[in-house]
Amino acid sequence: MAADVRVPLSHRVPDLGALELLLAVARHGSLGRAARDLGVSQPAASSRVRSMERQLGLALLDRSPRGSRLTDAGVLVTDWARRIVEAAEAFDAGAQALRDRRDSRLRIAASMTIAEYLLPGWLMALRAERPDTAVSLLAGNSATVAGRLLAGEADLGFVEGLSVPEGLDGTVIAHDRLVVVVAPSHAWARRRTPLTPRELAATPLVLREPGSGTRQVLDAALAAHGGLATPLLELSSTTAVKGAAQSGAGPCVLSELALGEELSARRLVQIPLGGMRLRRQLRAVWPTGHRPTGPARDLLTLTVRDARPE
């Protein structure tokens, strides 16, 4: 059986604008009234019709002082044009319906620190711009965020790790610093000298779970100093880590963004760290080759506009 070979459209097929003009002429019986209907000048409309006649190699209108009348060929072409324009209108309406459905919801996946301490402000700003968009937020560690994006379960993600996860593109939207904190009753709260990286590495800590952005940064930073000691606890949320540290379970390392209230109220004490800077970039991410559109694009614009300097 012969293959179905599709022939490209001929260069003689007019564009939609020209066909709409022809339909307006047929509807009004006058080139001048058709031009006014479409909001163009009569000379421009006349020039466009002549250009279409040259393109088709057919005379479409008989022009006279009393108006413009379709030729026999013009009647046929107008009938075909009507079907094409109706199909284009249906196409446009369908595409708009898809955009409306896309714009009616926004699914976000974000790592814990960003979800708890940055996203609320961004989402309030987005609501002012898109009040009819329903937003859902899935919070988890950075590895979970990447998985949801790659599975098509989120439209935009935010992560805290050292790099953009495989299969995703991204852009830096903020910078963050990790700090060491302890309960006021802990012995470190009374020390007068900065903590060394080797001391930190050798001390059992209350930590976020493997796969979290905080854990990735800490693992990488302490690898050259003997690596992390066996954790005291591994917990899956920033709030849980802070609670354990406040109860006196042991030191923890968390984002500076998450500790403002606890440090100001002296429920936790920050311990200076010498010889090391625990800094990281916070990123918006999306599947490779699929840059965000609609509400996801608008949220991305808001986050970049509000980007925090390093």
Side-chain angles (χ1 to χ4, degrees), residues 105-106 108 119-135 156 294-302 305:
R105 66 171 188 172
L106 173 60
I108 304 167
L119 263 172
W122 293 333
L123 292 180
M124 287 181 63
L126 180 68
R127 184 168 181 79
E129 295 185 6
R130 286 185 173 269
D132 297 327
T133 298
V135 178
L156 184 64
R297 177 198 58 219
D298 292 349
L299 178 58
L300 177 60
T301 300
L302 286 170
R305 188 174 68 197

Side-chain angles (χ1 to χ4, degrees), residues 121-280:
W122 293 333
L123 292 180
M124 287 181 63
L126 180 68
R127 184 168 181 79
E129 295 185 6
R130 286 185 173 269
D132 297 327
T133 298
V135 178
S136 61
L137 172 60
L138 302 167
N141 62 35
S142 294
T144 300
V145 170
R148 290 191 180 278
L149 284 167
L150 293 173
E153 297 172 356
D155 305 305
L156 184 64
F158 295 93
V159 296
E160 308 161 4
L162 293 169
S163 60
V164 177
E166 187 176 354
L168 302 180
D169 289 335
T171 187
V172 174
I173 48 92
H175 295 85
D176 188 23
R177 186 165 70 105
L178 301 182
V179 295
V180 181
V181 292
V182 297
S185 58
H186 193 277
W188 283 1
R190 296 181 293 278
R191 66 180 293 146
R192 296 288 180 262
T193 58
L195 193 67
T196 68
R198 188 162 292 279
E199 283 181 289
L200 182 63
T203 301
L205 304 173
V206 180
L207 295 173
R208 284 289 307 278
E209 79 287 5
S212 72
T214 301
R215 184 68 172 268
Q216 290 174 20
V217 172
L218 196 56
D219 280 336
L222 295 180
H225 303 281
L228 280 169
T230 301
L232 281 172
L233 295 169
E234 288 184 329
L235 303 172
S236 60
S237 77
T238 299
T239 301
V241 172
K242 286 194 293 185
Q246 287 179 63
S247 72
C252 71
V253 180
L254 287 174
S255 165
E256 192 173 40
L257 293 170
L259 292 166
E261 184 179 338
E262 288 77 15
L263 292 176
S264 63
R266 292 283 300 175
R267 292 195 294 271
L268 288 171
V269 178
Q270 182 176 337
I271 307 304
L273 180 61
M276 174 184 292
R277 288 175 36 156
L278 295 175
R279 294 190 177 272
R280 61 181 178 177

Side-chain angles (χ1 to χ4, degrees), residues 62-69:
D62 282 332
R63 300 163 179 83
S64 73
R66 294 186 300 277
S68 301
R69 184 179 64 83

